[in-house]
Structures are given as C-alpha cells and as structure tokens.
Amino acid sequence: MGCIRICGKVILAPIVIPYKLCFRRKRPTPHSNNNIRPSLAPPPPPPFLSASTYSNLNDNTSQQHQQAPSFDSQQPSPTLPLPTADYEVFLSFRGPDTRHQFSEILGLFLAKNKIRTFLDDNELRQGDRIAPSLAKAIEQSKIYIPILSLKYAESKWCLNELAEMVEREKRNDGHIILPIFYLVEPRDVGHQTGPYEVAFQQHARKYDAKTILSWKNALQRVGKIKGWTVKSKDEHATIIDRVSSVVWSHINRSEDLLGADEFVGMDDHVEAVMEKLSLDSPGTIMVGLHGFGGIGKTTIARVVYHKLATRFERRCFLEDVRTTQEGKDGIISLQRKLISNIMITRDSDPGYVDDVHRGRKLIQDRVSQFKVLIILDDVDERFDFKEVLGDPRKFVSGSRFIVTSRNTKILRSLNENQCRLYEVRPMNRKLSLQLFCRSAFQGNAPLPGYETLSQEIVQRTEGVPLVLKVVGSSLLREEKSFWEDTLLRLGKIPHKEIIERLKISYESLDYEAKQVFLDIACFYIGRRKDFPSYMWSDLGFHPVTAITILTQRSLLKIGDDGDLQMHDQLRDMGRAIVREENIEQPWMRSRVWDKKEATELLQNMKGSNQVKALVVDDAYDNVGKLKRQHFLNLPKLRYFEAQQVEFIGDFINILPNIRWLCLPLHKSEGHHPINFPMENLIILDLNCSSNLQDDWGGWSQIKVCCASLVLVGPH
C-alpha cells in the first residue's frame, strides 16, 4: 500500500518500503575514499546458493519493512556505524570456517522469518577490544548464536564477543545463547581440548592470564548449553530449519507481546488448558474454549500459544475467524495465512491459494507434515474444520489445535466429536479487583478513599475482563463524583447485559471521539490509522486526540503496523448504537455498513441528510451502473466504498461532501463520470483499480479538481 500527494500543499503519508532484515558488515574495499555510503546493488549470491534461490530468499525477506542499506567501509574501521534499528539476533562466526558453507544461509533464513539479524564477520576486526557500535548490536540483540567452528577459538574477536555474550546472559535480563557446534564436539569447546587446546597454546604467548581465563570461562559455559551439533554438510538444511523455528519462537514469547494486565487471572486457565492438551500423548488433540464474548477466551489462547512456542515445529494463530469468513474469499484468506505462517512463504510464492480446494490440499499435503500448534479464534456455526484444513487426523502426531467459540455446539462437533471442552468462567472478586485497579489506578490496589467505590463497581461488572478494563480505564484520574455516577448507572443495567455496561464508557466521550469511534467500529477496523485521520482532520476533528482518548479508555488498540484494532464486543456495541438511530429505516442512520441494506438503499434511490457513510460489498453488489439519481438523497455522504460498480453520467452538484471514495476506476474512455465533485475529496482508494495506467483519462480531472488528494492503493 502507498499514498502520494497530487497537487497543492504537501501531505505526508506512509509508504511501505522494503527492509533488508539481515545486516552484515562488508569487507573493506581498496582504492576508495573514506565516506560511508549505502550500497544500492544487492550482493552477489553466495556460492552455496543458485542465483534464483538467492533471489527468492531476498524477495521473501524484504517485504513490509523499511530498508536498512548495507554499508561499504572504504577503510577498515572498528567503529563503523550500524543501522539504527534494534537487532533481535546476533550471529557470531569465524568467516573462513563457515561464511559460505553455513553462516550466511542461516542469516538469510532468519531474515526470511522476519527476524532482524546481525551477521558479524570477525575477520574484519581491528584492535583487541569490542568497538562501541558492535557492543551496541550485542546489547540490542535478544538471542546470541555463536557458531563454534574448528578455528573459532583462534580469533581473539570471536572470543571477546563470546565472553561479552556470556556476561550479558548471566545478568538474567532476557538474553539467551543458542550455540551451534560446527564440525566440533561440545566437550572440546567446554574443556578446550582438540583444536581449541592448540588455539589457546598460541594465545598464551600473546595475552595476559586474566584475558585467557575470561575466554576459557565463556567457552566452558557455552559448552554446557544445549544447542545443535553439525557433523556434516548434509545436515545443514535440517539444522538451519530447526534453529530458525526455535529462534522465531523465542522472539515471540508471550511476555513481550501481551500487556501486564493480560496475565491477571491467567494461571489457573492456562494450567487447565495445558492439561487438556496432553502434550506428552501421541495423536492429534483438539481443545475448545467456550464462554460469552469478552470473558477472555482469546487472551487465554494467546498466552498458551506463546507459552508452548518451543514445543512445536510450526505454529499459527488464526484470529477472528468469524469476521474473516464474512469477508470476500474468507476461507481462502484463512488458508493463505495458515500456509504462509507454517511454510514461511508469501502468498505470491509457488503454492499460491486461489480456491478452497487447492488450499485444503496444500494444507493436507504440506502443512500437516509438521508438528503444529494452530489456534482458531472465534469460530461460529459457519466454520467447517474439514472444509478449511482437511482431516485433523492426517496431521503429524503431536499436533495440537485450540478453538475458541461462544457456541459449544460447534465445538462438540469438531474432531469426530472428540474436541475437549473448557469453559472460561468469570473472574473471582479478588482477581477482578486487581484487573480493575490496573486500568483505574495503574496499580494493583485502590487509592485511599476509593476502596468501597472500587469494590462496588467491580461487583457490578460480574467478573467480565473486557468490562473491567473498559470501565476502569474510563475512571482513570476522574473525580469521585464521576465514579459515583458510573456506579449508579451500572446498577440500572440488567445482569449479563455486557454491551450496555460498555456503553457507559462510550457515553462519557466528547462528540468528536464518539464520531471517530463509530467510524472505526463500522468501517475502519484493520485499516491504518493514518488514512481516516486525513478525512477526520478535514472535517475539523482532532484525530490524534480522539484516538489517544479511545486507546486510554481501552475502547481501541493500535497494532504494530499502525492498524486500528477493536474487540468484537466493542465493535458490536458501536454498530448497535448506530442501528438504534433508526431500527426500521437504514437510510435514516448515519452509517450503513450492512451490504444488503446499502444495496437496497441505492437501488430504491432512498437516503437522507443523516447518511454519512455507505459500503456496498461485491457479495450484494448488483447495483451495476450508478448515476446521479442514485445519490440525490445523500447530500451529506462523506465515505463511499464499492467493488463492482461504475459511476456514469453527469454528477454536477451531487455528493458535495464526499471525502473518501473507494470504487473501481476503468482505463477505457467513457467509464468515468463527468463533473464528479472532487473539490473536497481527501482519499481516493484505488485498491480495486489495479489495471489503471499513467495514461488513464481520469487523471486529468483529478489533477484539475483536487487541491489536495491522497491516493491509496496497490501502485
């Protein structure tokens, strides 16, 4: 996805740029100046890879990240600056031993797993100490992988780095060492025998006893760590695959991905689910987590998923299955994500899934050959396990599946009626108070003077984690009178009415935050926050402030890529608020997201001043060609999205308030409207107009009519 400014004042918008995840210090080249400059040309393929294989690996590792170029040092320098991005893995090796046989391909595979890796070629070192820039790379990295080869101990730089790794590992601050013993035995490393004994005989003549002792202690420590032993080149592929899998699992451990409040009350749930998984038993086992929305099923599944990271060869978390199935090519989208995660490929790689049957066959033929952990989150009655993944009994013995749902009937029917059920019950009073206080006071206990109020509010929430967090967040730093009013309102809500409890937090928002919340709930979940922010700003809103308020009150989350995320209970609440504007007449509501209702609205040429946003999905998109008369009753429409329609005819004085337009634009003349009102258009979404070229006739109208425009699309 990318965006660009057409004319007028400059608009800065994000553009996805490939990022080389694997950085390696290059050899200095002679006869050149001292400037450090990026090398734009890709490096040649290493001898052990064909050019095509190397190209594919580079393609796979460069997506969805900002580029950090390699640097050429024109003179050898121990302080050569490193890219600013933090590293996750520090790979230490002696170049002549393993560079072209093992180390570089391991680095490529780690990068293919989207792991930021620093490859340190120790042959480029000068001096006896670790340079500050290199020490920083070691400090940043969470995982150290020393490749201990036959002549590793001959390099003082290798030994200095190893000593530094061991020293940091001893501090117990999250650093771990995963050694690879390459054509050498761990006992030779630990006891400095064989080739390592010879190396230290040479070092004894050059270095002091304290330095020698630090190196020996480091080797002794690493020699005791369980790692991998490579005894022949035939084992390269197998070992590299195992290392990549284990490293990826360590990188994604749960304590790094989940907030502290997510672990409140988790221990008993996790222990019960682990018991039902029977990890030491053979065969394929499926566990179903059930309970009403907001009770914590997804959080429990996620904690278990990361806790078991190192127990499986591959794993995949398919979240929000129910919503994904509702979308276009829903089952295919699920299959693509599963295959991509398990096989570590991209959709454009060989094996691309373009129909359900092909996807199921690939899963049964290839994915099922790994010992996998697969989470299927939030499934409903439309989900058919065998249709999506095939027969679970064909997966490798030891594979495990966790399925979450609000519907126990669905879970009971899975895996030949052998799915083991676990009911997620509400939190007890003690844990509820702790979770509430994390949000309301940012601590584990109420502040003085708020003890009784906190206890009474917690009692009204009935132990539902989502309600505890949302209500607690809405009370953070508020006056006691606001707390008392919230307690009174909670007391008027019938038991089990979760959405009504959540609505109390919504009603305390100001007008702008409410409008932004409803827009996101109806249309923008999963989209990057930047793009609707342009529209909100143009409407006079303050999107940064509104989004901050929503996140502070736990009504919204921002993903790692800046995408807007919302719990399905909160989404349903937002849509219920809009639906209640007029139950019987959708054209009298502010937002129409239901595709069938939107299609009928256009076909019958209905509308009102209330309608601000409208989406027509291709599942119901039988409207065909849209003319001015279809929009006569929609003067306030600011957002319109459709997949299979055409705007034709003269649109003069129609849709004066349109700010966001997403529809297919056609290359041929005569297929774009005349006098289309684009003076207020902010976002033109071209994701469904992939065949447009620079010579498209509509560009001239866009350039003339727009003072400022952001294009969003595949180009």
Side-chain angles (χ1 to χ4, degrees):
M1 179 183 294
C3 54
I4 188 172
R5 174 65 203 286
I6 294 294
C7 49
K9 61 184 180 181
V10 174
I11 290 180
L12 297 179
I15 298 176
V16 175
I17 303 174
Y19 172 35
K20 194 77 172 271
L21 291 172
C22 181
F23 176 85
R24 178 170 63 85
R25 194 183 297 268
K26 286 192 173 183
R27 287 187 175 278
T29 55
H31 312 301
S32 51
N33 58 38
N34 293 327
N35 295 328
I36 297 172
R37 58 181 179 80
S39 175
L40 300 180
F48 51 84
L49 287 178
S50 67
S52 60
T53 303
Y54 183 69
S55 176
N56 289 335
L57 280 171
N58 277 322
D59 288 343
N60 283 330
T61 60
S62 64
Q63 300 302 312
Q64 301 178 352
H65 296 272
Q66 186 178 2
Q67 177 145 5
S70 300
F71 290 88
D72 287 321
S73 173
Q74 307 308 329
Q75 288 185 357
S77 170
T79 58
L80 187 64
L82 304 176
T84 57
D86 288 349
Y87 294 100
E88 295 170 310
V89 173
F90 186 91
L91 193 60
S92 174
F93 61 97
R94 188 175 184 276
D97 285 0
T98 65
R99 181 191 300 114
H100 297 315
Q101 291 77 28
F102 188 84
S103 301
E104 196 158 310
I105 193 171
L106 174 59
L108 288 171
F109 268 74
L110 291 174
K112 189 180 181 186
N113 270 347
K114 302 179 178 65
I115 297 170
R116 296 188 298 276
T117 304
F118 183 86
L119 276 73
D120 181 44
D121 191 334
N122 288 281
E123 294 307 297
L124 307 184
R125 296 284 165 265
Q126 285 191 339
D128 295 330
R129 295 184 178 181
I130 297 177
S133 56
L134 186 59
K136 184 178 180 181
I138 296 175
E139 179 183 6
Q140 289 174 347
S141 301
K142 179 177 181 179
I143 297 174
Y144 306 133
I145 303 181
I147 302 177
L148 298 128
S149 55
L150 288 170
K151 297 184 179 181
Y152 184 90
E154 292 182 5
S155 169
K156 60 179 180 291
W157 301 301
C158 286
L159 295 173
N160 278 334
E161 289 173 4
L162 192 69
E164 181 71 14
M165 295 176 203
V166 170
E167 190 62 33
R168 292 186 181 276
E169 187 229 14
K170 288 180 180 177
R171 298 174 188 172
N172 293 320
D173 57 359
H175 296 287
I176 61 173
I177 298 175
L178 301 175
I180 298 174
F181 304 97
Y182 189 85
L183 303 182
V184 66
E185 292 295 329
R187 62 176 176 271
D188 288 335
V189 173
H191 298 293
Q192 296 89 58
T193 56
Y196 281 60
E197 181 179 13
V198 175
F200 272 90
Q201 289 173 353
Q202 298 295 324
H203 291 321
R205 302 189 184 102
K206 301 178 183 179
Y207 304 104
D208 60 83
K210 183 178 179 181
T211 300
I212 296 291
L213 181 61
S214 69
W215 291 347
K216 287 188 174 184
N217 288 339
L219 289 169
Q220 185 178 13
R221 165 62 185 150
V222 172
K224 294 178 180 179
I225 299 175
K226 183 179 180 180
W228 298 269
T229 302
V230 182
K231 296 184 177 181
S232 70
K233 293 182 179 180
D234 294 338
E235 297 179 319
H236 282 192
T238 301
I239 298 296
I240 285 172
D241 186 61
R242 291 175 181 172
V243 173
S244 300
S245 180
V246 170
V247 169
W248 192 87
S249 297
H250 278 291
I251 290 295
N252 292 280
R253 293 189 57 165
S254 56
E255 55 264 33
D256 298 325
L257 300 179
L258 300 175
D261 59 330
E262 303 284 7
F263 289 94
V264 175
M266 283 292 107
D267 291 345
D268 291 342
H269 290 307
V270 171
E271 183 179 349
V273 173
M274 298 274 280
E275 183 178 346
K276 287 185 175 292
L277 285 170
S278 301
L279 296 172
D280 295 327
S281 299
T284 300
I285 294 176
M286 191 177 297
V287 174
L289 277 57
H290 63 95
F292 53 83
I295 197 64
K297 302 182 297 296
T298 300
T299 302
I300 294 169
R302 196 175 293 280
V303 172
V304 173
Y305 177 74
H306 293 294
K307 190 177 183 68
L308 298 178
T310 60
R311 300 287 296 269
F312 296 86
E313 294 177 316
R314 294 284 192 273
R315 58 189 182 133
C316 179
F317 196 112
L318 291 175
E319 56 190 352
D320 207 3
V321 172
R322 175 167 56 95
T323 303
T324 302
Q325 277 195 269
E326 291 175 354
K328 180 182 178 182
D329 296 331
I331 293 178
I332 294 175
S333 296
L334 292 171
Q335 292 174 331
R336 285 177 179 171
K337 182 176 180 181
L338 177 63
I339 293 170
S340 176
N341 274 254
I342 300 299
M343 305 306 299
I344 319 176
T345 62
R346 289 172 20 222
D347 286 349
S348 57
D349 286 340
Y352 174 81
V353 178
D354 52 9
D355 64 70
V356 173
H357 174 74
R358 177 171 173 76
R360 184 170 59 247
K361 188 175 188 304
L362 281 170
I363 291 170
Q364 289 285 274
D365 291 348
R366 301 180 64 187
V367 171
S368 66
Q369 304 308 305
F370 293 94
K371 179 183 175 182
V372 296
L373 172 63
I374 296 175
I375 312 294
L376 299 160
D377 178 51
D378 193 20
V379 306
D380 62 8
E381 62 277 358
R382 293 168 301 172
F383 180 77
D384 185 330
F385 188 100
K386 289 188 176 181
E387 180 186 17
V388 181
L389 290 87
D391 189 344
R393 295 172 300 179
K394 293 186 178 180
F395 281 76
V396 165
S397 178
S399 294
R400 296 293 185 265
F401 301 89
I402 298 177
V403 187
T404 74
S405 180
R406 304 177 192 182
N407 191 330
T408 56
K409 182 180 178 181
I410 300 302
L411 298 176
R412 288 193 180 99
S413 65
L414 294 175
N415 199 23
E416 304 294 327
N417 300 317
Q418 296 299 312
C419 183
R420 303 177 180 183
L421 301 187
Y422 175 73
E423 181 180 4
V424 182
R425 298 180 181 275
M427 304 176 79
N428 63 37
R429 185 70 61 83
K430 180 180 179 181
L431 291 173
S432 294
L433 180 62
Q434 183 181 349
L435 181 58
F436 172 79
C437 290
R438 291 277 181 93
S439 298
F441 304 107
Q442 297 182 335
N444 291 321
L447 293 177
Y450 286 82
E451 295 91 341
T452 302
L453 270 173
S454 297
Q455 289 281 4
E456 291 177 346
I457 289 174
V458 165
Q459 183 179 359
R460 297 287 198 278
T461 62
E462 299 188 359
V464 181
L466 179 63
V467 179
L468 286 162
K469 288 194 287 186
V470 171
V471 173
S473 298
S474 71
L475 297 173
L476 178 64
R477 289 188 285 273
E478 294 289 353
E479 298 290 336
K480 185 174 288 189
S481 59
F482 185 82
W483 281 61
E484 293 168 344
D485 181 63
T486 299
L487 178 60
L488 288 173
R489 295 169 69 188
L490 282 170
K492 297 177 181 179
I493 298 172
H495 293 307
K496 304 301 182 184
E497 292 292 337
I498 295 177
I499 286 182
E500 292 302 316
R501 289 183 172 85
L502 297 173
K503 194 180 293 184
I504 290 176
S505 184
Y506 166 81
E507 290 172 350
S508 68
L509 300 172
D510 62 24
Y511 173 78
E512 286 188 12
K514 285 180 178 178
Q515 296 304 305
V516 170
F517 174 82
L518 295 178
D519 275 350
I520 295 171
C522 294
F523 304 111
Y524 298 127
I525 295 175
R527 289 184 180 269
R528 290 183 58 140
K529 64 179 180 179
D530 312 76
F531 301 125
S533 292
Y534 294 128
M535 180 187 69
W536 292 323
S537 294
D538 192 69
L539 292 170
F541 295 169
H542 300 84
V544 174
T545 301
I547 289 173
T548 300
I549 291 172
L550 293 176
T551 53
Q552 288 174 345
R553 299 198 176 193
S554 298
L555 294 171
L556 180 69
K557 288 185 177 181
I558 306 299
D560 293 337
D561 297 325
D563 54 311
L564 299 165
Q565 301 176 355
M566 186 178 290
H567 193 284
D568 55 2
Q569 285 279 13
L570 295 169
R571 177 202 62 198
D572 294 345
M573 178 192 75
R575 295 182 176 186
I577 290 170
V578 174
R579 192 177 286 108
E580 289 169 1
E581 294 172 356
N582 196 307
I583 300 296
E584 300 295 331
Q585 299 175 318
W587 59 89
M588 298 297 292
R589 302 175 194 155
S590 61
R591 299 158 180 85
V592 183
W593 67 91
D594 184 276
K595 287 75 178 180
K596 187 174 182 180
E597 291 177 344
T599 299
E600 291 175 353
L601 184 155
L602 289 174
Q603 286 177 330
N604 297 321
M605 302 180 191
K606 294 182 178 180
S608 68
N609 286 334
Q610 280 72 39
V611 180
K612 300 175 183 177
L614 189 66
V615 172
V616 181
D617 186 76
D618 54 357
Y620 298 97
D621 206 353
N622 299 316
V623 183
K625 295 178 172 59
L626 293 176
K627 302 179 181 179
R628 59 179 287 122
Q629 54 264 36
H630 290 98
F631 297 95
L632 285 173
N633 296 317
L634 299 169
K636 299 296 184 181
L637 191 69
R638 55 178 166 83
Y639 177 89
F640 181 76
E641 178 181 342
Q643 300 292 326
Q644 301 292 334
V645 303
E646 296 179 31
F647 279 15
I648 60 173
D650 195 336
F651 275 73
I652 191 170
N653 298 326
I654 297 294
L655 299 176
N657 291 296
I658 196 73
R659 297 306 203 280
W660 184 311
L661 185 63
C662 176
L663 75 163
L665 301 177
H666 299 274
K667 181 178 179 181
S668 57
E669 295 294 333
H671 283 277
H672 50 84
I674 301 172
N675 296 319
F676 193 84
M678 305 187 75
E679 58 272 11
N680 290 320
L681 192 65
I682 298 297
I683 302 288
L684 181 59
D685 191 335
L686 301 177
N687 274 302
C688 51
S689 304
S690 57
N691 63 338
L692 289 184
Q693 304 295 331
D694 291 342
D695 59 353
W696 176 57
W699 291 127
S700 58
Q701 184 179 350
I702 290 175
K703 293 178 181 179
V704 170
C705 296
C706 297
S708 123
L709 182 66
V710 174
L711 298 183
V712 180
H715 301 290

